[in-house]
Amino acid sequence: MSIKLIATDLDGTFLRDDKSFDAPLFQKVFEKLEQQNIEFAVATGVHQRRIDMIFKHFKDYPINFVTNNGARVIRSDNTVLFEKALPLDVLKDIQILLNHYQPRPDHGLVYATDHTAYMPRSNPKGMNQRYFQYFNEKKYFDDVDEIDQPIFKVTMNWQNHDESLFYHAAHQALGHRVHITETGTGGIDIVPAHVNKASGLKILAQNLSIEPQNIAAFGDGGNDLEMLNFVGHPYLMPNTRHKLNLLQDYQIVHNDNNHSGVLYTIDQLIIS
């Protein structure tokens, strides 16, 4: 098996439910990857600030990143290969949609850069408290015209609402000007059109001169679908809550995310 690049989702895949991972095992596996000149990438819906916190003890490791569901691609040498923000006119239409949609998000609503959380001032007090630890800065706005940084995604959550209803409403209102996907943690992400983990991973792979058939990827949810269909070696977590309509055969990781399934599988892959 000629694998030259391995990419993994984070929540529900690489990370345990408590958002930790087996650091000594990761170090051991990563050293083997380096010895065999195999690239490693994190492909996630979250932003760079949160990733940096997760991998705070591995800052010097040559890790590639596909963040914000593909809106940013960063090589391990910190070269930004790609970034695409939501245009202002689209942000305005997203704001209109969210202002009129019922029920309004009551468990989180953030317009996100890689380091700053922009939140509507009309949000219920304390609604986004759980997000604050993941951003360097938080700012409030009344209208998206006030936002002066590139927004890579808008994330929203409800406590007791079927997010798929909003998914369909957003498709009707915004059409092909955006890509709408689940977050992997029970919410919805709106990112720029034609942006997803596969598009980001493709940019990274082309920069590294690696063909899709030589890529392995791990995922567990709807926002991993395009990535898993893109690579030659897709792996699905056993604890996935979704039936993914993959375009090719795929393997099921034997251990779940709470038992380092991804790391043990990578360890087996690179010695097989």
Side-chain angles (χ1 to χ4, degrees):
M1 184 180 293
S2 180
I3 292 178
K4 298 180 180 179
L5 169 61
I6 295 175
T8 181
D9 170 50
L10 289 180
D11 293 307
T13 303
F14 182 83
L15 297 177
R16 301 177 180 122
D17 289 347
D18 65 2
K19 310 306 178 186
S20 67
F21 63 94
D22 187 332
L25 179 58
F26 176 69
Q27 181 177 4
K28 170 187 168 186
V29 170
F30 201 95
E31 288 173 356
K32 290 183 180 179
L33 292 175
E34 287 193 294
Q35 291 168 5
Q36 298 188 35
N37 295 314
I38 298 173
E39 295 279 347
F40 180 79
V42 169
T44 176
V46 304
H47 56 285
Q48 193 65 46
R49 165 63 175 164
R50 184 182 169 199
I51 298 168
D52 291 344
M53 293 173 66
I54 292 169
F55 290 94
K56 61 185 178 181
H57 298 301
F58 299 93
K59 291 180 180 179
D60 297 330
Y61 279 50
I63 301 173
N64 303 281
F65 300 103
V66 176
T67 71
N68 296 291
N69 279 319
R72 291 193 89 226
V73 182
I74 305 97
R75 261 191 70 153
S76 59
D77 62 2
N78 293 320
T79 301
V80 177
L81 301 179
F82 174 82
E83 62 179 18
K84 187 175 183 180
L86 288 158
L88 180 58
D89 64 316
V90 173
L91 287 174
K92 288 182 177 180
D93 286 342
I94 292 172
Q95 183 179 35
I96 291 171
L97 170 65
L98 289 167
N99 285 343
H100 289 86
Y101 184 82
Q102 294 296 327
R104 297 185 68 177
D106 59 0
H107 198 51
L109 174 56
V110 173
Y111 293 63
T113 77
D114 254 352
H115 298 280
T116 303
Y118 282 88
M119 294 159 289
R121 195 168 278 108
S122 59
N123 282 358
K125 187 176 181 181
M127 182 175 78
N128 289 308
Q129 194 69 38
R130 63 198 178 102
Y131 290 113
F132 291 168
Q133 62 180 311
Y134 300 128
F135 290 93
N136 284 347
E137 190 174 11
K138 59 181 184 293
K139 295 184 178 181
Y140 295 92
F141 67 90
D142 293 307
D143 190 276
V144 291
D145 284 315
E146 302 166 32
I147 298 175
D148 58 2
Q149 296 185 57
I151 297 298
F152 297 117
K153 67 174 179 178
V154 182
T155 300
M156 60 226 66
N157 296 77
W158 288 261
Q159 286 185 302
N160 296 296
H161 180 60
D162 182 356
E163 289 88 357
S164 67
L165 297 176
F166 177 81
Y167 181 92
H168 294 299
H171 266 292
Q172 288 185 334
L174 304 170
H176 297 294
R177 295 184 297 152
V178 299
H179 177 63
I180 307 165
T181 186
E182 63 168 275
T183 63
T185 56
I188 295 289
D189 273 353
I190 300 177
V191 296
H194 312 299
V195 162
N196 54 59
K197 292 184 183 182
S199 66
L201 193 59
K202 181 178 181 180
I203 291 169
L204 175 63
Q206 288 177 338
N207 185 267
L208 296 170
S209 299
I210 295 173
E211 296 296 324
Q213 61 264 30
N214 299 123
I215 306 174
F218 295 81
D220 77 314
N223 64 341
D224 299 311
L225 176 59
E226 294 91 352
M227 176 175 71
L228 293 172
N229 283 332
F230 170 69
V231 304
H233 306 279
Y235 286 82
L236 185 65
M237 299 304 292
N239 55 329
T240 180
R241 295 178 292 117
H242 308 270
K243 282 199 161 222
L244 299 183
N245 183 25
L246 299 178
L247 301 179
Q248 55 187 310
D249 292 333
Y250 58 94
Q251 299 291 324
I252 300 294
V253 179
H254 293 300
N255 292 325
D256 64 24
N257 62 306
N258 287 314
H259 297 88
S260 302
V262 170
L263 286 172
Y264 282 117
T265 301
I266 292 174
D267 197 37
Q268 288 299 310
L269 278 177
I270 58 182
I271 63 173
S272 61

